[in-house]
């Protein structure tokens, strides 16, 4: 019997030189350091007028690591984050990793009971929250055992002229700072003079905790590894996807989701892209964002692209700059796929929709269509370091081609387990 997981017929779609590549064994902080050495002066982050090069990004990551260190964070500790995707949460991912601790990313939209369970479940040393979530935090402060709670405004990284945020964000609530409630600037300033040792790579080290969507019950904490996130990035690097050194990536997926942290943050940074960071995203504004920032790549869910087709902003636009409109996270019916690909052709798109399939447990993605490697109705081929097969749920035996069964996957991008 021919076994797909043994034969791996999908490897014919990858560049030959990629087949001999060994996935690096290093922390995600070390991976960022490696990219900074190559792309020091390239643009790394754009945030409503704030531009950071890779060198400037690394400088801020290191300063942030110093601040966490001076607040007592040590290797093996957990720090919970109640934040959307914004420069501070992205930099914290790498700063905490430098120390050898683990960030625990919690969706701030969760109800207070789940927020409390997630933060207390890992025995967080600190909680870092966006300030507009204070009303939720206030209700559980007497039950939180964290040593300190740090509040960060989405305005922190805005240039001076935009500090009022021009209506981009909700008005910040009044927080009674003092005691264990600390404003971001005070926290950051307290890091001066620290000397943080860089945590060494360890096989099986946890890079981040994110939570599943809860489709099969209560959301579960997924342990994403350094290997998993780096493997995800390397797999896309060697995929043959059409890309350039100064490409832009529209970062609209949340950092507290595996799809967001793996495919929407770490992967594009490792490819040397410039991240256009959007912390507050609504699908009906996607057309405006695309025309304003002209991204070459992005990741989204099917409903985003359905909204895009109705946007007045792109009705007569040339979208030839959009090389990878990546799609996953939900069902894409054939009718929508056909309509969106026709829409892309009418607007100068070079490639069709880049559909993929994944799950939180596989660091966000497991299969994908890459640029010209596309087939209607398909979720693509397994990533370079992913092995897939179809198995019988009854016997556990692998099934031959063109047979229905259970999809089983393995690879270094697989989670370490549930917390």
């Amino acid at each position: 019997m021919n076994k797909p997981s043994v034969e791996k017929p999908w490897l014919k779609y990858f560049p030959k030189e990629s087949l001999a590549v060994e996935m690096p064994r290093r922390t995600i902080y070390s991976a960022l350091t490696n990219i900074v050495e190559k792309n020091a002066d390239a643009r790394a982050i754009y945030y409503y007028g704030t531009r950071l090069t890779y060198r400037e990004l690394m400088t801020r990551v290191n300063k942030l690591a110093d601040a966490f260190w001076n607040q007592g964070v040590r290797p093996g500790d957990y720090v919970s984050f109640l934040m959307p995707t914004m420069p501070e949460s992205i930099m914290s991912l790498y700063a905490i990793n430098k120390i050898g601790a683990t960030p625990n990313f919690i969706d701030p939209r969760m109800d207070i009971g789940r927020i409390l369970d997630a933060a207390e479940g890992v025995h967080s040393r600190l909680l870092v929250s966006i300030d507009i979530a204070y009303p939720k935090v206030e209700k559980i402060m007497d039950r939180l055992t964290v040593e300190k709670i740090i509040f960060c405004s989405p305005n922190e990284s805005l240039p001076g002229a935009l500090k009022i945020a021009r209506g981009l964000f909700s008005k910040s609530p009044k927080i009674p700072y003092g005691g264990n409630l600390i404003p971001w600037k005070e926290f950051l300033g307290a890091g001066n003079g620290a000397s943080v040792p860089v945590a060494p790579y360890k096989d099986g080290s946890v890079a981040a905790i994110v939570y599943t969507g809860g489709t099969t019950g209560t959301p579960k904490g997924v342990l994403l590894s350094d290997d998993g996130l780096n493997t995800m990035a390397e797999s896309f690097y060697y995929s043959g996807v059409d890309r350039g050194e100064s490409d832009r990536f529209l970062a609209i997926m949340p950092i507290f989701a595996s799809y967001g942290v793996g495919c929407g943050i770490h992967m594009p940074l490792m490819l040397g892209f410039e991240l256009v960071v959007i912390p507050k995203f609504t699908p009906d504004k996607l057309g405006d964002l695309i025309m304003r920032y002209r991204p070459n790549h992005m990741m989204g869910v099917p409903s985003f692209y359905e909204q895009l087709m109705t946007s007045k902003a792109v009705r007569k636009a040339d979208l030839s700059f959009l090389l990878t409109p990546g799609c996953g996270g939900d069902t894409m019916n054939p009718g929508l796929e056909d309509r969106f690909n026709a829409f892309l052709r009418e607007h100068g798109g070079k490639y069709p929709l880049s559909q993929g399939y994944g799950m939180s447990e596989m660091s966000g993605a497991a299969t994908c269509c890459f640029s010209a490697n596309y087939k209607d109705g398909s979720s693509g081929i397994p990533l370079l370091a992913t092995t897939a097969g179809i198995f019988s749920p009854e016997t556990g035996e692998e099934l031959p081609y063109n047979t229905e069964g259970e999809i089983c996957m393995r690879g270094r991008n697989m989670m370490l387990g549930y917390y």
Side-chain angles (χ1 to χ4, degrees):
M1 179 181 68
N2 295 327
K3 295 183 178 181
S5 71
V6 176
E7 296 179 344
K8 300 182 180 180
W10 54 83
L11 292 180
K12 66 184 178 184
Y13 295 103
F14 289 94
K16 289 184 179 179
E17 61 272 17
S18 69
L19 303 183
V21 170
E22 289 189 14
M23 295 296 164
R25 294 185 177 274
R26 55 191 174 205
T27 65
I28 59 171
Y29 173 81
S30 295
L32 180 63
T33 301
N34 184 59
I35 293 299
V36 171
E37 291 174 355
K38 299 176 182 177
N39 290 19
D41 296 318
R43 297 170 298 184
I45 286 182
Y46 181 88
Y47 183 69
Y48 299 115
T50 295
R51 292 178 173 86
L52 297 178
T53 64
Y54 275 85
R55 179 186 285 111
E56 291 167 336
L57 172 62
M58 181 56 83
T59 297
R60 293 198 183 193
V61 165
N62 288 330
K63 184 176 182 180
L64 194 49
D66 292 345
F68 281 115
W69 184 266
N70 273 0
Q71 293 296 338
V73 178
R74 294 294 184 268
D77 285 344
Y78 293 88
V79 177
S80 288
F81 290 85
L82 200 62
M83 298 175 72
T85 303
M86 48 194 278
E88 288 72 23
S89 55
I90 294 171
M91 292 184 287
S92 293
L93 169 68
Y94 297 100
I96 295 292
N97 189 259
K98 177 183 181 179
I99 294 173
T102 301
N104 178 43
F105 290 113
I106 306 168
D107 185 346
R109 299 169 301 181
M110 282 184 176
D111 63 56
I112 59 173
R114 286 184 176 176
I115 291 173
L116 179 64
D117 288 345
E120 289 297 289
V122 299
H123 307 290
S124 302
R125 181 175 287 274
L126 304 175
L127 172 65
V128 184
S129 173
I130 188 169
D131 58 2
I132 57 177
Y134 173 71
K136 286 187 175 182
V137 176
E138 183 183 25
K139 293 177 181 178
I140 57 175
M141 280 196 302
D142 60 337
R143 289 175 284 170
L144 282 169
T145 58
V146 296
E147 295 172 7
K148 295 177 182 177
I149 303 174
I150 301 153
F151 289 97
C152 180
S153 165
N155 298 340
E156 300 292 349
S157 288
L158 289 177
L162 290 177
K163 284 294 183 182
I164 300 176
R166 298 187 306 180
L168 289 171
F169 311 109
S170 301
K171 186 177 180 181
S172 299
K174 290 185 178 180
I175 300 174
Y177 289 118
N180 71 335
L181 303 185
I182 304 173
W184 182 261
K185 285 184 179 178
E186 180 182 322
F187 158 71
L188 199 57
N192 296 333
S195 181
V196 179
V198 180
Y201 165 83
K202 294 180 181 178
D203 188 31
S205 56
V206 183
I209 299 178
V210 295
Y211 291 82
T212 61
T215 53
T216 57
T218 302
K220 298 178 286 292
V222 174
L223 303 176
L224 301 179
S225 67
D226 285 303
D227 283 343
L229 293 178
N230 286 330
T231 296
M232 173 71 62
E234 292 287 324
S235 293
F236 276 90
Y237 182 88
Y238 291 105
S239 67
V241 67
D242 192 348
R243 59 186 172 84
E245 292 183 354
S246 59
D247 283 2
R248 271 190 158 186
F249 188 100
L250 188 63
I252 56 177
M253 301 304 294
I255 193 170
F256 47 77
S258 184
Y259 190 19
V261 72
C263 299
I265 294 173
H266 187 63
M267 181 270 287
L269 284 175
M270 293 305 100
L271 268 59
F273 293 165
E274 178 187 23
L275 279 186
V276 178
V277 180
I278 309 294
K280 186 180 179 181
F281 172 74
T282 53
D284 62 318
K285 299 297 183 183
L286 181 56
D288 296 311
L289 292 174
I290 284 178
M291 295 314 299
R292 183 184 308 162
Y293 299 116
R294 299 176 66 82
N296 308 105
H297 315 276
M298 62 173 287
M299 297 285 182
V301 298
S303 61
F304 293 178
Y305 296 111
E306 192 161 21
Q307 288 270 8
L308 181 61
M309 290 188 289
T310 64
S311 172
K312 293 181 180 179
V314 299
R315 185 170 295 170
K316 297 181 180 180
D318 177 6
L319 298 178
S320 57
F321 57 84
L322 185 59
L323 300 176
T324 309
C327 185
D330 204 350
T331 301
M332 168 68 80
N333 65 64
L336 176 56
E337 181 181 1
D338 292 342
R339 285 189 289 114
F340 186 71
N341 282 334
F343 170 83
L344 284 174
R345 289 192 296 270
E346 292 166 3
H347 290 77
K350 186 176 180 180
Y351 301 110
L353 188 70
S354 182
Q355 275 212 86
Y357 171 78
M359 57 187 77
S360 300
E361 292 83 350
M362 295 297 288
S363 303
T367 74
C368 194
C369 292
F370 298 110
S371 299
N373 289 328
Y374 169 83
K375 182 179 180 181
D376 288 339
S378 171
S379 56
I381 58 176
L383 299 181
L384 183 60
T386 302
T387 300
I390 308 298
F391 288 73
S392 167
E394 289 78 26
T395 66
E397 293 295 317
E398 184 170 5
L399 302 173
Y401 297 100
N402 304 311
T403 307
E404 288 189 3
E406 183 178 35
I407 302 170
C408 294
M409 298 180 176
R410 68 182 179 194
R412 285 182 63 198
N413 56 323
M414 183 179 289
M415 68 171 183
L416 296 171
Y418 296 116
Y419 188 87

